[in-house]
Amino acid sequence: MLLAFAWWSILLWTNNRDAFNAKVELQRMAMVAEQMAQHQDSGRSEQRIIEEAVREYYKSEAYLSLSKYYKRREYMIVGEGVVFVISMAIGVWLINRGYNKEVTAAQQRRNFLLSITHELKSPLASIRLILETFRKRKLTEEQADKLTRNGLTETERLTTLVNDLLLSAKLETVYEPHLESTDLGKLVRDIMQKLRDKYPKVAFSLREDNHIPAIEADRLGLTSVILNLLENAVKYTPDSPKIEVVLDRVEDIVSLAVADNGIGISDKDKRQIFEKFYRVGNEDTRRTKGTGLGLFIVKEIVKSHEGQISVLDNQPKGTIFRIQLPSSKKAG
Ligand code: ADP
């Protein structure tokens, strides 16, 4: 297409020049004829009359305005060419961007299907196995207790997954935060206590840099936000996890930061992790469990509270997720 366009531009340019030359030639001949007629009897040689007529023509108003007119047409051809090339570059860029978006979306859908299949199938398979073991074998009390606990963990996993799916669908359609006065410090301490029992090897700590006032928030929603951030911090910190939550307040903005010493997130992925179903890497090679819904839910709930979420690198390694919420303003 570019070649065809270049060809047409050259053709237009040449035609323009030919038309100009032809008109100049015509006007020059007319001028020469006129001068010849005027100086017929002056005794000057024909050659001189022609030379003078030509010289005069190139200084004449007719030649100057003709050359101005064709110069303008040349600028027009160049201008149109530039506009065309720019429009084409923008078009190609837009098509390419759309294509890349489509490829990423398809990849995410595929990742989601793979992970959700795994996340649904594996607890169901475990629960089934546990029930079959109960049916076929006589178990000691200790064995039965262990299996029951495993079964409950798997059921909890399934419940979380189904809740996440329902919540994310709701967040995209009818979610309205149910605001009530919430003590953020207490909420974090309660969640942390539960996680300490669940992950005894993880070092959780809480720092309150300022007095944190009660905020107007949806307690269930905020629980989901904090739980997701803390669970992620554990999940993506394979070696000796140290997870710190810092609560702070600047004027009427309350902030909650979750810092871990885990694998970190590249700058490119930082821009995408909040998208629905987005998971870093590829589902075929990824080891951790998940669906890519967690941070989408977190972002949407924070947004519904008119808050903001950001992600930064921790030092020397790891990630910090920080949410900022207005303490007094009611969510709209
Ligand atoms: P999931 O954990 O189910 O994959 P999320 O939406 O919670 O989905 O997170 C999206 C992606 O962001 C994760 O797949 C992971 O790659 C990355 N991520 C989230 N939290 C962290 C963290 N604390 N450290 C490193 N990577 C993280």
Side-chain angles (χ1 to χ4, degrees), residues 83-97:
V83 169
F84 180 86
V85 169
I86 291 176
S87 315
M88 205 158 118
I90 293 175
V92 168
W93 178 73
L94 283 176
I95 290 171
N96 197 39
R97 202 179 61 159

Side-chain angles (χ1 to χ4, degrees), residues 182-194 206 208 215 217-227 230 247 256 325:
T182 304
D183 179 345
L184 201 56
K186 182 175 177 323
L187 198 66
V188 174
R189 277 190 293 275
D190 289 350
I191 296 172
M192 252 185 187
Q193 195 45 52
K194 283 199 186 111
L206 170 65
E208 288 183 52
I215 61 168
D218 182 317
R219 221 171 285 165
L220 267 181
L222 267 198
T223 304
S224 176
V225 167
I226 299 165
L227 205 57
L230 286 173
L247 291 177
L256 177 151
L325 300 168

Side-chain angles (χ1 to χ4, degrees), residues 228-229 232-237 260 262-265 273-275 277-281 286 288-296 318-319 321:
N228 260 305
L229 293 179
N232 272 353
V234 174
K235 196 157 65 169
Y236 300 106
T237 308
D260 65 51
I263 57 172
I265 303 175
I273 47 173
F274 296 102
E275 285 169 21
F277 307 142
Y278 187 83
R279 304 198 73 211
V280 175
R286 204 178 288 116
T288 54
K289 294 170 187 160
T291 54
L293 282 174
L295 288 180
F296 169 75
T319 312
F321 280 92

Side-chain angles (χ1 to χ4, degrees), residues 265 269-271 273-274 309-313 319-322:
I265 303 175
D269 286 320
K270 279 194 194 100
R271 285 192 286 271
I273 47 173
F274 296 102
I309 182 157
S310 51
V311 51
L312 311 157
D313 291 329
T319 312
I320 303 174
F321 280 92
R322 173 176 295 131

Side-chain angles (χ1 to χ4, degrees), residues 47-114:
Q47 183 63 28
R48 246 188 97 194
I49 295 171
I50 293 175
E51 276 171 16
E52 266 171 27
V54 169
R55 225 176 295 136
E56 211 166 293
Y57 169 68
Y58 281 117
K59 282 190 225 146
S60 74
E61 188 55 36
Y63 173 76
L64 291 177
S65 70
L66 194 69
S67 102
K68 223 191 237 167
Y69 173 71
Y70 278 95
K71 259 270 154 322
R72 251 201 330 265
R73 286 184 59 158
E74 273 180 11
Y75 287 143
M76 225 168 75
I77 294 171
V78 172
E80 279 171 11
V82 170
V83 169
F84 180 86
V85 169
I86 291 176
S87 315
M88 205 158 118
I90 293 175
V92 168
W93 178 73
L94 283 176
I95 290 171
N96 197 39
R97 202 179 61 159
Y99 173 76
N100 284 342
K101 257 192 185 163
E102 205 39 57
V103 168
T104 314
Q107 173 82 24
Q108 279 172 27
R109 278 196 296 272
R110 180 176 167 272
N111 280 351
F112 174 68
L113 269 181
L114 280 172

